[in-house]
């Protein structure tokens, strides 16, 4: 564990804060605020990075990225055994990664992948409009984002990259060893480490106030917010999962988190534990400031610039209203005002989708083969949404980060 003997950063509040959007669901599951020990750990984790990857990245810079990056990419693609005379630091890291934990259940991973595909776009909308935009209330994390050029490049670009990663994770056999999701997740972990190194070295970075860039507390919140929170949002919009689906979603999240460098204490053991982790993390990191508006406003207006084939002006305005409807429904008026967004939008989109999703859930449960067909149709809709965001240019994971490979 990479930690520090310095005091807990000042961004860690004296007591838990209210969590927008998730509070009612946490109460339903009888999840309370963190206890004293858990609260202390949340503060301490702000000073914890990802020691295995950070150590590897330091070695790669020391040896020269031009020489070490191709070795890393080959090991990522086909395994460390296929890298002749692999240097010891590289071998040590990948042997640890390729030693899959005993608790990983490949059948549950396949089911988890299928669940996310069959959810179609509504779960993605929740991820964008609630997890992503609502995440800007965590201003400590915004400090890192702004130093990687998120504002200049546009928050929408970062979301498209995050969405591309999530779709890789949920692709068929995506989280099998060397699958698309497996490779993308380790690629994101590598980028996180380079960003952590880059931002921490900036003269204006204040570790005593903000902690380490991309620390364990922020990573845990981001992980569960990206993979389990949309599952919660789908349920709120009428998608009724089977009990086995809930288990699979949590299991997929746990393995992805393990692979991306989240430490064991922050990995969900089951669905309720995932909601607990997200709720506890958000009570600690929800601390909006001016950066919250800086990032939320352009994200809310991003639909106006999406790549519509026809009637772009009209469709852009409708899409903006649709996504604000989702955000307003779940974040509530107070958070919307803090983010600089309209305090209230009628919840027309969630209400409209609820009966449609409910009927689809019933069909998935009772009609033979419907689950598989739903996964195919859902993935087609998700791919179309990505094209709407990016146009002809596919989103490249890590493209919104600053050029880091040549950083000394």
């Amino acid at each position: 564990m990479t930690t520090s003997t310095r005091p807990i950063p000042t961004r860690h509040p004296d007591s838990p804060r209210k969590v927008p959007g998730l509070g009612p669901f946490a109460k339903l599951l009888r999840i309370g605020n963190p206890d004293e020990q858990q609260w202390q750990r949340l503060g301490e984790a702000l000073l914890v990075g990802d020691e295995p990857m950070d150590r590897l990245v330091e070695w790669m810079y020391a040896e020269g990225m031009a020489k070490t990056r191709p070795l890393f990419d080959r090991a990522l693609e086909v395994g460390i055994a296929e890298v002749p005379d692999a240097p010891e630091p590289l071998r040590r890291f990948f042997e640890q990664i390729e030693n899959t934990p005993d608790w990983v259940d490949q059948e549950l991973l396949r089911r988890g992948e299928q669940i996310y595909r069959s959810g179609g776009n509504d779960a993605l909308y929740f991820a964008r409009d609630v997890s992503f935009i609502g995440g800007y209330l965590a201003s400590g994390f915004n400090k890192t984002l702004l130093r990687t050029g998120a504002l200049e490049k546009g928050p929408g670009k970062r979301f498209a990259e995050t969405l591309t990663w999530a779709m890789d994770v949920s692709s068929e056999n995506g989280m099998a060893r060397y699958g698309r999701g497996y490779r993308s997740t380790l690629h994101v972990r590598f980028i996180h480490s380079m960003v952590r190194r880059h931002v921490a070295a900036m003269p204006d970075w204040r570790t005593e106030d903000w902690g380490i860039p991309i620390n364990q507390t922020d990573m845990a919140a981001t992980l569960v917010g990206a993979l389990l929170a949309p599952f919660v949002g789908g349920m709120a919009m009428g998608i009724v999962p089977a009990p086995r689906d809930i288990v699979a979603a949590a299991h997929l999240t746990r393995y992805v988190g393990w692979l991306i460098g989240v430490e064991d204490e922050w990995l969900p053991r089951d669905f309720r534990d995932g909601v607990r982790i997200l709720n506890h993390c958000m009570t600690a990191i929800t601390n909006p400031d001016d950066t919250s508006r800086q990032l939320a406003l352009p994200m809310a207006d991003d639909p106006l610039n999406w790549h519509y084939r026809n009637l772009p002006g009209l469709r852009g305005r409708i899409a903006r209203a649709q996504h604000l409807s989702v955000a307003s429904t779940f974040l509530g008026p107070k958070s919307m005002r803090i983010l600089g967004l309209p305090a209230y939008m009628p919840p027309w989109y969630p209400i409209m989708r609820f009966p449609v999703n409910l009927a689809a859930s019933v069909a998935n449960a009772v009609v033979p083969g419907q689950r598989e067909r739903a996964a195919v149709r859902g993935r087609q809709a998700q791919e179309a949404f990505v094209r709407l965001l990016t146009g002809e240019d596919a989103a490249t994971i890590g493209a919104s980060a600053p050029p880091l490979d040549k950083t000394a």
Side-chain angles (χ1 to χ4, degrees), residues 39-54:
W39 190 247
Q40 176 77 10
R41 290 295 303 130
L42 285 164
E44 292 170 347
L46 294 171
L47 292 168
V48 182
D50 174 8
E51 183 176 2
M53 180 59 87
D54 293 345

Side-chain angles (χ1 to χ4, degrees), residues 90-341:
L90 190 71
R91 181 176 300 280
R92 183 168 57 247
F93 175 82
F94 275 98
E95 284 180 347
Q96 178 185 0
I97 290 299
E98 293 174 9
N99 183 22
T100 305
D102 294 338
W103 50 260
V104 173
D105 184 324
Q106 294 295 330
E107 182 180 346
L108 273 181
L109 292 181
R110 301 294 85 77
R111 187 177 182 112
E113 295 160 0
Q114 184 187 65
I115 291 162
Y116 284 97
R117 296 195 301 274
S118 63
N121 281 344
D122 282 343
L124 299 188
Y125 295 161
F126 187 91
R128 179 194 183 276
D129 305 329
V130 182
S131 296
F132 211 82
I133 292 181
Y136 293 138
L137 294 167
S139 62
F141 188 60
N142 296 348
K143 302 294 192 293
T144 299
L145 289 178
L146 291 172
R147 283 163 177 76
T148 62
L151 196 59
E152 294 80 2
K153 296 170 184 175
K157 182 177 179 62
R158 175 176 162 255
F159 175 71
E161 294 173 26
T162 301
L163 180 55
T164 299
W165 163 74
M167 290 180 62
D168 285 348
V169 164
S170 58
S171 62
E172 190 169 1
N173 296 313
M175 291 309 296
R177 187 178 294 177
Y178 315 129
R180 281 173 55 188
Y182 172 95
R183 298 194 308 271
S184 288
T185 298
L186 285 173
H187 180 58
V188 169
R189 184 175 181 178
F190 176 66
I191 292 170
H192 281 175
S193 185
M194 291 197 295
V195 169
R196 190 181 299 115
R197 181 181 187 273
H198 174 76
V199 173
M202 291 182 170
D204 66 341
W205 182 260
R206 304 201 305 266
T207 302
E208 67 280 7
D209 291 329
W210 304 327
I212 292 173
I214 315 184
N215 55 70
Q216 286 291 315
T217 303
D218 290 334
M219 287 170 65
T222 302
L223 168 74
V224 183
L227 295 183
L228 270 191
F231 198 75
V232 174
M235 293 166 68
M237 285 196 277
I239 301 175
V240 181
R244 184 74 168 168
D245 294 343
I246 295 174
V247 173
H251 192 74
L252 181 69
T253 303
R254 184 182 181 189
Y255 180 53
V256 171
W258 180 85
L259 206 61
I260 211 168
V262 175
E263 294 187 345
D264 187 69
E265 69 176 302
W266 309 110
L267 297 177
R269 267 44 179 183
D270 53 37
F271 180 74
R272 183 184 183 279
D273 192 43
V275 177
R276 178 193 65 80
I277 290 169
L278 179 58
N279 186 67
H280 284 188
C281 287
M282 292 307 295
T283 64
I285 67 176
T286 299
N287 184 24
D289 63 11
D290 291 344
T291 66
S292 302
R293 288 189 174 212
Q294 281 183 282
L295 292 164
L297 283 169
M299 186 70 177
D301 290 339
D302 197 48
L304 300 173
N305 302 309
W306 288 350
H307 299 78
Y308 306 99
R309 291 187 176 181
N310 49 58
L311 302 175
L314 176 62
R315 294 179 66 187
R317 289 192 296 273
I318 293 172
R320 182 180 184 274
Q322 170 193 332
H323 290 280
L324 285 173
S325 172
V326 176
S328 175
T329 299
F330 295 102
L331 292 177
K334 182 178 178 180
S335 295
M336 293 290 283
R337 280 193 293 267
I338 291 172
L339 291 167
L341 306 178

